[in-house]
Amino acid sequence: CANFVSQCLRAGGYEMNEDWYMGKAKGALSHFAGLISTTGNWDYGWTQEWTVARENYDYFNSDAYAMYEIPIKRDDSIEKAISEYDIRPGDLLYFCNGGEVVTHATIISSVEDDEIKFAGHSKPRWNYKLSDAFTNNEEYTQVIIVCLSGRISS
């Protein structure tokens, strides 16, 4: 799931660095690219911040990337969060199981007056309603939205 979010961010212009990357190299070049395998075929390497939801959240919820975060519990009003905060497509949406343990990463694809929609890959989703995610999945008790800095004005 975090790999999908990272690829979206990379496609949107975020630059990879030594802490957040996914790379590919062939054979002996993989050693110089910092990749683990040297099979002679294409080798891939990545950081946990690129591929693991919790580490992805920790990385982007830092002063370098985040303006602020917005927790929304299952019973909270999504409409109220939208009216109180500047939530935009491209902001990050992390799902939590029981408390504040991040277990799933998605990216906001659309914001309407009363609904946040998101895209994700583990279960293919595009413009999936946050309210439906809460209704259809009992294990998710809360989401955390990370509003990214450096966004294009709405």
Side-chain angles (χ1 to χ4, degrees), residues 4-41:
F4 174 79
V5 169
S6 291
Q7 288 184 45
C8 291
L9 292 171
R10 179 68 190 105
Y14 279 79
E15 293 294 328
M16 291 187 282
N17 58 49
E18 65 184 25
D19 297 319
W20 179 73
Y21 71 86
M22 200 290 198
K24 176 171 100 168
K26 189 166 184 160
L29 293 176
S30 65
H31 173 71
F32 296 109
L35 307 182
I36 298 166
S37 174
T38 56
T39 63
N41 296 318

Side-chain angles (χ1 to χ4, degrees), residues 112 115-118 126-134:
E112 299 171 0
E115 188 65 70
I116 296 168
K117 295 180 181 179
F118 64 92
W126 173 249
N127 273 340
Y128 194 78
K129 293 180 179 181
L130 177 57
S131 59
D132 287 347
F134 275 142

Side-chain angles (χ1 to χ4, degrees), residues 94-107:
Y94 296 95
F95 287 83
C96 303
N97 289 353
E100 297 179 18
V101 178
V102 171
T103 59
H104 189 53
T106 64
I107 190 164

Side-chain angles (χ1 to χ4, degrees), residues 25-75:
K26 189 166 184 160
L29 293 176
S30 65
H31 173 71
F32 296 109
L35 307 182
I36 298 166
S37 174
T38 56
T39 63
N41 296 318
W42 286 107
D43 299 319
Y44 295 86
W46 53 84
T47 58
Q48 297 290 298
E49 290 78 3
W50 185 280
T51 59
V52 178
R54 177 64 200 195
E55 282 75 3
N56 187 271
Y57 164 76
D58 288 340
Y59 182 76
F60 283 104
N61 192 33
S62 66
D63 291 340
Y65 296 102
M67 291 191 304
Y68 48 85
E69 73 170 23
I70 307 161
I72 303 174
K73 294 185 176 169
R74 176 186 301 279
D75 296 328

